[in-house]
Amino acid sequence: MAFWNKNVPNSSSSSSSKCFPILGLLSLILLHPTTTTTTTSFANAIRVVAIQKPTYDDIPSFREAPAFRNGNSCSSRNIDKIQIVMPVDANYIRGTMAAVLSILQHSTCPENTSFHFLSIHLEPEIISLINSTFPYLSYKIYHFHPNRVRGKISKSIRQALDQPLNYARIYLSDILPKDVHRVIYLDSDIIVVDDIAKLWGVDLGDKVLAAPEYCHANFTNYFTDTFWSDVNLAKTFEGRRPCYFNTGVMVMDLDEWRKGGYAQKIEEWMLIQKQRRIYQLGSLPPVLLVFAGNIKAVDHRWNQHGLGGDNLEGKCRGLHPGPISLLHWSGKGKPWLRLDARKPCTIDYLWAPYDLYRSSRIALEE
């Protein structure tokens, strides 16, 4: 159920006087492996009840973003709205704000973009913060109750992966209104440097989900020996060519997801995991068990993932070769934390100009 709905009608008013640089071309700087000489100019079952409610002091303040307006060629029909879903909480809101700014800035028709935010804690301060940072934004906030996954989450290799909000993407067909038929799901640690309409326009065909596939990755590593040594479990992928895909960037057909009962299918694997320990990561493996080898493949440019390093140390990584439309700091290292600690990776400087945090500009200048 939506807690807050903020829809502002189209306006022809001019953009704010504040300017934010377009970084789409800057990604070319890091297309080659990062070296130490590169210039720097540029988280047993989780105890859900133990999760602490963030305090007001945990929530930062942000500068107001410019008002991005549609061009004359943009449609005004609701059917042409791009529906984007993102999680929001006090710990990751800085990333969410930067992601929203990047999406709007690079959109040809930014006013045709509607946001759906998922939250465990429906803090009035969070709503106020979104309103003040993006006063023109069309959005809704939905409450995801942790009871939905109580007793279903298994401890993974990193605590952040065990949080209930990480699993909300599985239940989008139940959370969002029935008139939202298709969405783009995005994690909070991303930056878009291309028109999001291009990703929205992906033809799903007869598939329920679309995402970049990485068939060169060693798929067996995502599951334990317990899984592969069990003949019945190992038959799961028979008739499919399973490839790894990252669930932080997905185009989803919610009507087909609901019709196919995919949330329940994923939950069944989560319950098996509680009994058998068949994987190490959080919400990703059960989705792979259901969908790997049966999705619509999207160009890799739409998820340059792994920029946060691995799930244990979060060491710096460079970009993969090829064109870039979306940068994704999946892994332990987050750009805002590394920048604040004065230990940024070179790639983090591509995220920094989208950071609306009030203190970030001073920190970067020092």
Side-chain angles (χ1 to χ4, degrees):
M1 179 178 180
F3 177 82
W4 184 270
N5 181 8
K6 173 85 184 307
N7 290 295
V8 179
N10 290 344
S11 169
S12 59
S13 62
S14 60
S15 297
S16 166
S17 59
K18 298 177 183 176
C19 290
F20 291 80
I22 296 177
L23 292 186
L25 296 178
L26 286 185
S27 57
L28 295 174
I29 296 170
L30 298 179
L31 285 179
H32 300 288
T34 304
T35 68
T36 55
T37 58
T38 304
T39 177
T40 57
S41 62
F42 289 89
N44 296 326
I46 184 173
R47 295 181 177 86
V48 175
V49 293
I51 297 174
Q52 289 188 329
K53 181 178 178 180
T55 65
Y56 182 78
D57 291 337
D58 294 327
I59 303 174
S61 60
F62 298 89
R63 304 188 298 277
E64 181 180 330
F68 298 98
R69 301 303 185 188
N70 283 353
N72 294 330
S73 62
C74 296
S75 170
S76 60
R77 302 184 306 168
N78 284 334
I79 195 174
D80 294 322
K81 293 282 187 180
I82 298 173
Q83 311 289 344
I84 298 176
V85 181
M86 299 185 71
V88 61
D89 66 8
N91 294 323
Y92 280 80
I93 192 168
R94 189 166 163 189
T96 302
M97 292 299 184
V100 171
L101 175 61
S102 72
I103 292 167
L104 296 174
Q105 180 170 318
H106 295 286
S107 294
T108 302
C109 304
E111 292 180 286
N112 288 3
T113 305
S114 292
F115 289 85
H116 304 265
F117 297 119
L118 310 175
S119 180
I120 296 288
H121 305 288
L122 291 173
E123 293 290 327
E125 293 84 6
I126 292 287
I127 296 171
S128 176
L129 192 59
I130 297 173
N131 289 341
S132 61
T133 307
F134 298 101
Y136 49 86
L137 194 67
S138 173
Y139 76 90
K140 295 179 182 179
I141 294 185
Y142 305 83
H143 181 223
F144 179 69
H145 203 291
N147 281 347
R148 187 66 188 263
V149 290
R150 186 185 298 276
K152 299 172 185 175
I153 299 177
S154 300
K155 185 177 181 180
S156 68
I157 62 175
R158 184 159 64 91
Q159 186 179 4
L161 300 176
D162 302 339
Q163 301 307 312
L165 192 57
N166 231 24
Y167 290 79
R169 71 196 79 188
I170 298 169
Y171 303 100
L172 295 185
S173 64
D174 299 328
I175 298 171
L176 302 186
K178 297 296 189 293
D179 60 354
V180 179
H181 308 287
R182 173 185 173 119
V183 300
I184 297 174
Y185 176 87
L186 298 173
D187 277 345
S188 296
D189 51 359
I190 63 99
I191 289 294
V192 176
V193 292
D194 201 348
D195 193 341
I196 197 68
K198 296 177 184 178
L199 181 59
W200 179 253
V202 168
D203 182 5
L204 283 170
D206 62 348
K207 305 302 182 184
V208 180
L209 185 156
E213 283 186 314
Y214 302 90
C215 295
H216 64 279
N218 189 343
F219 191 77
T220 59
N221 288 341
Y222 292 93
F223 304 95
T224 65
D225 290 341
T226 300
F227 176 86
W228 295 114
S229 62
D230 187 302
V231 176
N232 293 322
L233 291 177
K235 287 181 179 179
T236 299
F237 298 107
E238 281 190 354
R240 291 190 267 165
R241 181 173 178 262
C243 294
Y244 163 77
F245 64 91
N246 182 282
T247 55
V249 179
M250 299 184 290
V251 181
M252 306 168 66
D253 185 327
L254 297 189
D255 292 336
E256 292 301 318
W257 188 286
R258 187 181 302 110
K259 188 185 304 181
Y262 287 105
Q264 291 72 30
K265 292 178 180 179
I266 294 171
E267 281 185 334
E268 289 172 6
W269 282 112
M270 292 167 62
L271 293 177
I272 292 175
Q273 162 72 355
K274 295 281 290 185
Q275 302 165 358
R276 304 286 303 276
R277 193 67 181 174
I278 58 175
Y279 53 79
Q280 301 292 346
L281 295 174
S283 61
L284 169 64
V287 178
L288 292 178
L289 285 162
V290 174
F291 285 105
N294 192 28
I295 71 171
K296 174 71 175 183
V298 176
D299 194 293
H300 289 177
R301 69 187 301 151
W302 283 104
N303 196 349
Q304 275 268 347
H305 67 291
L307 302 182
D310 60 27
N311 281 301
L312 297 175
E313 299 183 53
K315 292 182 178 179
C316 294
R317 288 181 180 176
L319 292 170
H320 308 296
I324 301 167
S325 294
L326 184 148
L327 300 163
H328 187 186
W329 279 261
S330 58
K332 184 178 181 180
K334 302 307 172 188
W336 56 93
L337 297 178
R338 296 195 295 213
L339 286 163
D340 285 356
R342 305 296 179 92
K343 296 180 180 179
C345 298
T346 304
I347 191 67
D348 297 339
Y349 288 98
L350 290 179
W351 180 90
Y354 298 99
D355 186 13
L356 293 168
Y357 182 49
R358 284 191 181 277
S359 300
S360 63
R361 181 173 296 167
I362 297 173
L364 284 171
E365 290 176 349
E366 289 180 347

